[in-house]
Amino acid sequence: VKVIVVGAGTSGLAAARTLIDTWDATANGGPLELTVLEAGTRIGGRVWTLNADEAGAAWTTAGALGAPTDMGASWIHGSNLSHPITKIATALGLAEGAGLVRTRNSLAELQLCSGQTSSCPSVSDDKYTVYQSLIAQAQRDAEAANSDKSLWEALSGLSELDQSRSSDLFQFHLASSAEFNTAGPASELSALFYNDDSKYKGSELVWAQGYKTMYEALQSGAVRVTDGSSPLQVTAVEAGSRNPISVTYNKRVRDVSYNSAEVVLTTEDNAVYRADYAIITVPLGVLKSSDASSQVTFSPALPPATANGIAQLGFGNVVKVALLFPSAWWPTGAHYYGLAQAGEPDRGLFTYYLNVHALSTKPVLMTFALGGAADVAEGMTNAEMWTKIRANLVKIMPSDVTVPTTAPEIIRSNWRANPLAKGAYTFVKVGTPNGKATITSAFGGSVGGRLFFAGEHTSALYRGTVHGAFQSGQEAARAVKASRPTQVAARAVKAEKRLDARLVPFL
Ligand SMILES: Cc1cc2nc3c(=O)[nH]c(=O)nc-3n(C[C@H](O)[C@H](O)[C@H](O)COP(=O)(O)OP(=O)(O)OC[C@H]3O[C@@H](n4cnc5c(N)ncnc54)[C@H](O)[C@@H]3O)c2cc1C
């Protein structure tokens, strides 16, 4: 049975790993012939730990690549023992404090300034509770009115204690919580559905050596998986017995044709691949794109529910900027620093800082551009970024700390400009009839029994996450296995023969 997986990010690797590890030639219609086509030159997709070639000499010399410099996903959100990504880490012998590092559990680890240079107070959880209660009220109001509006609009007129949508502290939380979690600007998020997804409960963990630990293990076969139909089990595999995923690089799929008998994929270099099934894991931003360097065309066109879902869902952006200094000049105790400041794009433009030094002892800070600020940041040069970042750091740091004037080494992500991503992750845009239902009806079944979609955008429960992408890849692999390929193919061949017989007299 020929299966092609398009894309070698988390969902593509999860699909390929699951097919390899759980394929049963007798039950699934014959031996598996798997091809993985990746447009780029690396695995991981939107999980991307910098390597020496990408980071350059300064990072290598400083030994800073041992820091978790992840330019895509960093966190295992809600890590607990039932979390699929935690299971991979556990199988690799990693745990909190041993290869995984816990970040913020409470806001007390955030040092927040509001522009004063004199002090940099910790934020109490109480203040965050006020923010949450305003957000919840906005959502309830939209529900009561039974009409969707943007989260930003729904917050209009609400206030509690010293916070309202226009206050500095509220806007800091808005950018670093709602807008970071969804990658969407509050002005575009659906007040009704922007957070109708689910969350795992547990710690926020980062990988001490970066998220590559996960995707390299999936690709090399250092872990073996079950298919996730009952609680997922992940086990370690000894070096001699591994079954790696073979990835074909530089193969950007440009056209996808499908009919009752097969799928035909054509890549940018005009190579043609035929298969019984294809699992398409390209990001939502790519599915939305009509740029020549990204676009994938489908023939026949995708069914209306899929096309509508692709059009209606939003695809947001998050910019990450990693700053390597000669040494750590900042107070190194806190995990996070923040600057409470209102206004678009200012509230999300380099106002949130992860102190990588606290996780790895490397002299690295990572900052973010969130919500509407992300696309603004992508348009900035590194020099413009540093000017803005430095000005914010001066406001954040206590007055006895001198922020260097010399620019650090800067590495930044440009997910929106990246033709293989076109943005960061999926959000439910205002006006989308329903978040979960839209995703399920767009991507839930197969298209024509031949195409299966996977990727974070196809995960109704866990969109925008690595675990959502992983689970969607597993689901697509299960769906392919359940398709009873030989029977479908046999029926199609018979039907074609009947058609040929009828056509003969006219040829
Ligand atoms: C800045 C940022 C921060 C994030 N932070 C977190 C976090 O902390 N925790 C978390 O859980 N999630 C986070 N996420 C989200 C998470 O990274 C994604 O949800 C997940 O990695 C998506 O995996 P995927 O398989 O759906 O897509 P991808 O990883 O994007 O994989 C798709 C693959 O398809 C390839 N491709 C594209 N077009 C084609 C084509 N035409 N032909 C062939 N191949 C193609 C791409 O090159 C890519 O390798 C973050 C994402 C970003 C961008």
Side-chain angles (χ1 to χ4, degrees):
V1 180
K2 289 187 180 169
V3 183
I4 297 179
V5 174
V6 180
T10 302
S11 60
L13 293 173
R17 185 76 273 138
T18 307
L19 289 170
I20 291 172
D21 291 350
T22 68
W23 191 265
D24 177 334
T26 310
N28 301 132
L32 170 69
E33 282 182 51
L34 177 66
T35 304
V36 180
L37 300 177
E38 166 56 49
T41 53
R42 61 171 183 87
I43 58 170
R46 281 169 284 162
V47 183
W48 174 27
T49 307
L50 289 175
N51 62 40
D53 288 349
E54 293 158 343
W59 289 72
T60 313
T61 311
L65 289 175
T69 23
D70 281 300
M71 304 312 287
S74 289
W75 285 271
I76 306 176
H77 289 308
S79 173
N80 65 42
L81 292 178
S82 66
H83 190 296
I85 307 301
T86 313
K87 288 186 182 184
I88 296 172
T90 307
L92 293 170
L94 307 179
E96 187 178 328
L100 297 175
V101 189
R102 183 179 65 79
T103 60
R104 171 183 61 176
N105 251 3
S106 80
L107 290 176
E109 291 179 28
L110 171 69
Q111 298 287 304
L112 187 76
C113 279
S114 302
Q116 323 88 316
T117 50
S118 53
S119 66
C120 195
S122 299
V123 189
S124 75
D125 286 346
D126 294 353
K127 298 241 168 127
Y128 186 63
T129 309
V130 174
Y131 158 79
Q132 285 180 309
S133 112
L134 288 173
I135 291 273
Q137 185 61 47
Q139 200 162 14
R140 278 197 300 275
D141 291 353
E143 276 161 14
N146 197 22
S147 83
D148 200 11
K149 46 177 84 162
S150 75
L151 181 63
W152 180 248
E153 249 188 273
L155 287 161
S156 156
L158 298 180
S159 66
E160 208 178 294
L161 293 179
D162 55 351
Q163 289 190 51
S164 70
R165 80 170 191 183
S166 56
S167 65
D168 287 354
L169 184 58
F170 183 85
Q171 291 212 14
F172 173 78
H173 287 318
L174 189 66
S176 58
S177 294
E179 293 186 323
F180 196 177
N181 291 343
T182 60
S187 58
E188 289 184 36
L189 296 177
S190 157
L192 286 177
F193 304 116
Y194 85 97
N195 66 346
D196 71 350
D197 50 349
S198 301
K199 313 269 185 292
Y200 279 91
K201 288 193 172 62
S203 314
E204 296 288 285
L205 301 181
V206 299
W207 303 73
Q209 296 299 315
Y211 233 123
K212 69 172 186 209
T213 312
M214 176 205 71
Y215 57 73
E216 287 179 351
L218 287 175
Q219 198 266 333
S220 69
V223 291
R224 176 181 291 130
V225 299
T226 55
D227 72 4
S229 50
S230 50
L232 168 70
Q233 288 181 26
V234 186
T235 43
V237 180
E238 282 180 14
S241 321
R242 292 179 186 166
N243 206 346
I245 299 168
S246 164
V247 177
T248 310
Y249 295 99
N250 294 311
K251 291 289 177 189
R252 190 176 77 78
V253 171
R254 196 189 58 204
D255 298 303
V256 178
S257 303
Y258 57 100
N259 58 39
S260 59
E262 64 172 355
V263 184
V264 182
L265 305 178
T266 309
T267 53
E268 202 167 26
D269 56 0
N270 291 320
V272 175
Y273 294 82
R274 295 173 181 276
D276 297 299
Y277 302 101
I279 299 178
I280 312 284
T281 78
V282 305
L284 180 66
V286 170
L287 292 174
K288 280 174 168 292
S289 177
S290 52
D291 295 352
S293 56
S294 297
Q295 189 179 24
V296 182
T297 55
F298 291 85
S299 52
L302 293 172
T306 311
N308 287 344
I310 291 169
Q312 285 169 341
L313 292 164
F315 199 63
N317 198 10
V318 167
V319 170
K320 283 184 153 186
V321 184
L323 309 158
L324 170 66
F325 294 90
S327 61
W329 50 265
W330 56 94
T332 50
H335 277 183
Y336 294 94
Y337 295 99
L339 173 66
Q341 127 181 311
E344 268 277 54
D346 283 357
R347 70 164 173 265
L349 190 60
F350 310 135
T351 49
Y352 193 53
Y353 291 78
L354 174 64
N355 174 14
V356 178
H357 189 273
L359 313 178
S360 66
T361 72
K362 310 292 186 220
V364 175
L365 284 174
M366 180 167 274
T367 187
F368 306 83
L370 305 165
D375 287 342
V376 173
E378 269 205 35
M380 296 168 87
T381 63
N382 284 7
E384 287 165 343
M385 280 186 173
W386 171 239
T387 302
K388 182 75 185 163
I389 289 168
R390 186 173 186 282
N392 286 358
L393 285 171
V394 167
K395 290 180 192 161
I396 289 172
M397 293 299 158
S399 48
D400 57 347
V401 172
T402 306
V403 180
T405 47
T406 308
E409 293 289 328
I410 292 181
I411 300 186
R412 36 126 25 121
S413 69
N414 294 298
W415 292 107
R416 185 71 81 196
N418 181 339
L420 306 183
K422 302 298 281 178
Y425 39 100
T426 300
F427 68 89
V428 181
K429 197 150 86 175
V430 59
T432 308
N434 178 314
K436 283 193 283 210
T438 301
I439 290 176
T440 305
S441 63
F443 302 113
S446 73
V447 173
R450 297 281 155 197
L451 300 184
F452 298 82
F453 284 91
E456 56 83 14
H457 55 289
T458 71
S459 172
L461 291 184
Y462 302 111
R463 59 182 177 256
T465 65
V466 177
H467 47 280
F470 180 86
Q471 287 174 340
S472 74
Q474 288 224 298
E475 276 161 30
R478 279 205 303 278
V480 164
K481 289 198 306 172
S483 290
R484 301 256 165 223
T486 43
Q487 293 170 19
V488 176
R491 274 202 304 278
V493 169
K494 269 191 202 154
E496 269 180 18
K497 280 192 180 144
R498 280 199 301 273
L499 192 65
D500 287 351
R502 284 209 303 277
L503 290 178
V504 167
F506 302 100
L507 292 177

